[in-house]
Amino acid sequence: MLASRAPYAEWPKDLRELHQEEQSHNAVRELRFHLLLGLMVAVMSLGIDAIAAPTMLTFALGWKLLTVLPLTAIGLLFLRSEQIVAIKLVTSLSIICFGAGVIVISTYAGPDMSIRYSMASAMLLGAAMLLLPFTPREAGRFGMAYALVTILAAMWPNALSPMAQLNHVITNALIGIPSWIMVHRFWELRSRSFLLGLHDQTLRAELERSNAQLRELSQHDPLTGLANRRHFENEFHAKYQAIEWGKGRTALMLIDLDRFKLFNDSYGHLAGDQYLRQAAATLNRVVQASGGLAARYGGEEFVVVVREKRSGEAKRIAEAFREEMTKLVLDLDTDDTEPLTASIGIAHASTSHAETLERIIARADAALYQAKRQGRDRVIFADIIAA
């Protein structure tokens, strides 16, 4: 729609409804402001009536009390914000009644004042069409109703001279028709501005989605879906490295899939990738239950960090994963496969001083190496090696 510059009437129905809904948020406030402003003008115009047509002052006061005041009160006090159509109607009726009263009073004034009243009525028509938050169709209906009622008021109950009536009709046409053209033009411009804003919102939403996808890609390993090494290091420094007494102890696990290279050479890289994905999914499921973070460290190695809420929690997680690994079933063309196992080394962060990630990983790696030397498929603590 934006590229084709289609007029508002050719917009799809759902787009027009969205635009009208957006416009209605400010329309109610504007309508109530103009109702209040119109009431103030009606009150102040009584001074002009007292000077120009003193014999009609009682009529002017009574007419406004019976028409303008009740309609204004209904629009301001009794109609809810969602009743925008009703508020537009009472606003239109209030202005039409005020304009009709002006013309009736003009029929009892002198020729000079009669022309001025007629001009004031036409100016009121133009101002209302330009200022009120109407659609072009609503503005056209309002203008025709206003012109018809005020023309009838110029004929009854006290008719203006034929020349004055003709002058009133011409004045209404000269002001009303250009006003409607301007309303239509402004509406198209505001509608296009709405499309530009909608287009901008769509572009921003797409950009945010793209940025989120880029962040996701930059933080996760594409094969396993686990966090990548850089994201793991950032999370460790942000959440796990600081010593927080009374909130548990940080434990880091290094995990290596046993005999993975032999498996990869025997069954091919596709089978190896399947093995890595299923092992990663199993690890992630076990670790997430504890609130820890699992990441692919490189090749067939994984790393896990957890904040132990109770003593021995890291060992429980490691043993749970090791046991789950032996139950993995891969979709291979042969049943002649050895059980899939993993070796795990665990190191706890020091509670007496801030320890670097490199030092903790080095101790966990030493424990992992010890697990490999002792026959694989087991969990070894760095604390035990140090002892």
Side-chain angles (χ1 to χ4, degrees), residues 214-332:
L214 287 174
R215 285 194 298 271
E216 184 76 11
L217 291 172
S218 68
Q219 295 174 355
H220 289 81
D221 174 60
L223 177 63
T224 63
L226 294 180
N228 59 24
R229 184 168 177 171
R230 184 169 68 175
H231 181 53
F232 172 82
E233 292 174 351
N234 292 337
E235 288 293 293
F236 180 87
H237 293 312
K239 299 179 180 179
Y240 297 95
Q241 188 170 29
I243 300 173
E244 299 182 27
W245 298 105
K247 292 189 177 182
R249 190 177 179 186
T250 296
L252 186 144
M253 310 176 200
L254 269 182
I255 302 167
D256 185 85
L257 303 183
D258 295 329
R259 300 184 179 88
F260 178 77
K261 288 183 174 62
L262 179 60
F263 178 93
N264 213 30
D265 293 340
S266 300
Y267 301 103
H269 293 291
L270 292 179
D273 289 348
Q274 182 189 355
Y275 184 5
L276 286 172
R277 282 194 294 268
Q278 290 192 224
T282 301
L283 177 63
N284 196 47
R285 185 175 66 252
V286 172
V287 172
Q288 276 192 337
S290 66
L293 175 66
R296 187 180 182 188
Y297 198 65
E300 68 274 18
E301 283 191 328
F302 301 97
V303 62
V304 172
V305 62
V306 295
R307 176 81 72 174
E308 288 187 319
K309 298 180 179 66
R310 60 185 66 87
S311 179
E313 187 170 4
K315 179 176 176 59
R316 179 188 61 79
I317 294 169
E319 289 290 354
F321 171 68
R322 189 186 63 79
E323 291 178 9
E324 288 292 325
M325 280 295 298
T326 62
K327 302 174 186 177
L328 281 184
V329 177
L330 301 179
D331 184 18
L332 302 175

Side-chain angles (χ1 to χ4, degrees), residues 196-210:
L196 288 170
L198 195 63
H199 180 65
D200 186 52
Q201 291 177 14
T202 302
L203 288 180
R204 282 202 303 270
E206 290 178 354
L207 182 60
E208 289 173 1
R209 283 195 296 270
S210 298

